[in-house]
Amino acid sequence: MAAQQRRHRRWPTYVAVGITASTALVPGPGPALSAGVGEAARTPVPTATVTGEPPVLPASPAPSAPLPAYGAYLDYSPRGVALMGRLSRWLGGADLRVGRTYLPGDRWSNIEGAPRFLDYWSAWRRERADRILVLNVPMLERNEEDVSDAEVRELLGRGAAGAFDAHYRRLAERLVELRVPDTVLVLGWEMNGTTYSHRCGPDPQAWKTYWNRIVTTMRSVAGQKFRFDFAPSRGRDAIPWTECYPGDDTVDIIGMDAYDQPQGMSFDEQVSEPYGLQKHVDFAREHGKPVSYPEWGLFRNGDNAEYMRRMLAWIDQHKPLYNTLTDYCPHGVWRCGRNPRAAEVYRSELFDRTEPGPMPVPSPVPLPQHTPVPLPRPECSPLDLGDWAEYWLGRRFCIRFDWGSRVR
């Protein structure tokens, strides 16, 4: 893609301390967020007049197809777990079944799963059988540093030869120990760009061999049920992403990170461009794989309500296994007040969207309809404290913190 983004994350330093994972971090159901929500259940239903003939009831509609699983990237830390509940309430109790976080790619110990925030995300996943935990996994350490093509080529060759197998075996064991053996692993994401050390361009053949070796190593761990998601960025970027595809045997899902960029590109062009959205779904169909959108959101074209409307329609049409909006500025809609028009579209489309349950018994008398009233967006003050202080203060006093996400 011509105008590729660069997104750096400031990862905390992890100290070995005795912290017990607790599902108490996940906020429980909150009060109703909009006028009229829930009132229908309390409104008495008038009794139809008896005329000697049974009333004619409307036919029950056919059950709906399951809705695509969705969520948002809110924060990699335990704070992201708490924010999932708040986003759901903003969406009228919508069913957010997908949680996504990243492993830091600074050093091998973190890629092995050392960060303690995995405890909290795994606890969130275990609360419901239908939830999906998505974990972005780097393929090399120093992943967001400016590593030269020559060094990347050398590291990919070493990985292809098995030099880093032990790190991924340990990660697989850690996830099985946490009882999340069915985690979706977005391995080596956006490999067709120039952003990360785990990029494919310097040596595509070594990259594919290395990917296959990582997958084979992790699948060898007893108890695992991992699904591996191959997720390039939309468009050609530095190399056509099809040249990096490692093969059907080691890929379970074909994903795509699809932001609204470059500047001036319409949604129709994003669909039809070489290696764009249409190529993505066609390629997945040819290989018999489901699609996903691990990262998507606004970007170079600002508060683009048309992009938001069209992307949500695209997702509904093609029914990915999951999708997660990136929700921080400039990409987001809930935590980014600079995108009010796109936020209105996102909220109106997904408000109160849940998985279909048992169909209610129809009533001959229609109940009154209530239109949810949007709440004002909370204005919070940016502070810079330690990770844990920010997390607890944010939960208790609605203080929003800038955790160091920077757009490259």
Side-chain angles (χ1 to χ4, degrees):
M1 198 175 302
Q4 176 63 24
Q5 67 172 352
R6 294 178 61 84
R7 186 182 302 102
H8 289 288
R9 296 174 179 82
R10 184 189 67 191
W11 300 103
T13 300
Y14 295 96
V15 181
V17 294
I19 301 175
T20 302
S22 172
T23 56
L25 285 173
V26 182
L33 292 186
S34 55
V37 174
E39 289 185 19
R42 299 192 298 270
T43 304
V45 180
T47 304
T49 302
V50 178
T51 62
E53 296 292 334
V56 178
L57 301 181
S60 299
S64 302
L67 296 167
Y70 71 104
Y73 173 70
L74 300 167
D75 197 282
Y76 61 88
S77 71
R79 181 170 176 257
V81 178
L83 289 173
M84 289 284 286
R86 290 172 56 189
L87 175 59
S88 174
R89 292 194 291 273
W90 182 72
L91 291 171
D95 190 11
L96 304 181
R97 295 198 291 117
V98 186
R100 185 165 65 87
T101 188
Y102 290 77
L103 287 174
D106 53 348
R107 58 185 182 270
W108 282 118
S109 60
N110 283 330
I111 297 174
E112 291 175 359
R116 302 302 298 176
F117 62 71
L118 285 182
D119 295 7
Y120 299 91
W121 280 108
S122 60
W124 173 87
R125 163 64 187 89
R126 294 194 306 267
E127 284 181 346
R128 277 178 47 181
D130 62 345
R131 283 179 173 170
I132 300 173
L133 177 60
V134 179
L135 181 64
N136 280 49
V137 178
M139 291 173 66
L140 292 171
E141 65 176 348
R142 296 183 293 141
N143 196 38
E144 296 191 23
E145 297 181 16
D146 293 325
V147 180
S148 69
D149 281 355
E151 187 172 1
V152 168
R153 191 176 299 110
E154 187 267 334
L155 290 169
L156 292 176
R158 290 178 59 198
F164 309 130
D165 289 1
H167 303 303
Y168 293 95
R169 184 175 298 107
R170 177 59 195 132
L171 172 60
E173 291 168 349
R174 168 99 162 107
L175 293 172
V176 170
E177 289 166 3
L178 288 171
R179 291 181 290 138
V180 285
D182 59 352
T183 299
V184 173
L185 304 175
V186 187
L187 179 64
W189 69 99
E190 298 182 13
M191 77 299 295
N192 56 323
T194 59
T195 297
Y196 301 108
S197 298
H198 64 219
R199 59 190 181 270
C200 169
D203 191 338
Q205 189 56 51
W207 192 94
K208 291 184 285 187
T209 302
Y210 182 30
W211 163 288
N212 290 332
R213 187 160 195 119
I214 291 173
V215 173
T216 300
T217 297
M218 296 189 72
R219 284 179 175 171
S220 71
V221 172
Q224 66 79 34
K225 301 175 184 178
F226 304 125
R227 288 176 287 181
F228 291 87
D229 192 337
F230 171 82
S233 57
R234 198 201 77 237
R236 186 188 189 281
D237 216 320
I239 183 175
W241 51 262
T242 53
E243 295 184 18
C244 305
Y245 186 67
D248 292 344
D249 290 343
T250 57
V251 172
D252 300 296
I253 307 160
I254 298 178
M256 177 165 280
D257 289 356
Y259 290 94
D260 185 22
Q261 63 171 342
Q263 188 172 5
M265 178 177 274
S266 70
F267 189 81
D268 287 332
E269 291 173 305
Q270 294 178 30
V271 171
S272 62
E273 69 172 324
Y275 308 101
L277 291 172
Q278 188 63 54
K279 176 63 176 179
H280 170 228
V281 296
D282 290 345
F283 186 86
R285 188 181 302 112
E286 292 165 5
H287 290 264
K289 306 294 182 182
V291 299
S292 72
Y293 298 98
E295 295 185 33
W296 69 277
L298 305 167
F299 197 20
R300 302 289 186 191
N301 295 300
D303 185 17
N304 190 347
E306 178 65 11
Y307 164 84
M308 184 59 63
R309 186 177 298 107
R310 296 285 301 277
M311 189 64 189
L312 287 171
W314 181 268
I315 287 169
D316 278 347
Q317 176 186 353
H318 294 285
K319 296 179 173 50
L321 180 68
Y322 72 92
N323 78 88
T324 44
L325 176 78
T326 298
D327 197 84
Y328 59 78
C329 285
H331 314 296
V333 293
W334 177 48
R335 294 194 298 155
C336 188
R338 71 179 71 165
N339 298 319
R341 292 179 300 169
E344 182 180 359
V345 171
Y346 185 83
R347 192 177 190 223
S348 64
E349 290 289 332
L350 299 181
F351 196 88
D352 197 25
R353 183 182 280 204
T354 59
E355 291 289 350
M359 297 302 296
V361 177
S363 169
V365 180
L367 296 177
Q369 300 296 315
H370 297 275
T371 302
V373 178
L375 288 179
R377 298 172 69 82
E379 294 296 334
C380 300
S381 304
L383 296 175
D384 185 8
L385 305 174
D387 286 356
W388 292 104
E390 291 180 359
Y391 169 66
W392 289 111
L393 288 172
R395 288 191 67 206
R396 187 171 180 81
F397 300 110
C398 186
I399 299 174
R400 186 171 67 233
F401 302 97
D402 181 1
W403 281 51
S405 294
R406 293 172 287 164
V407 178
R408 297 181 294 233

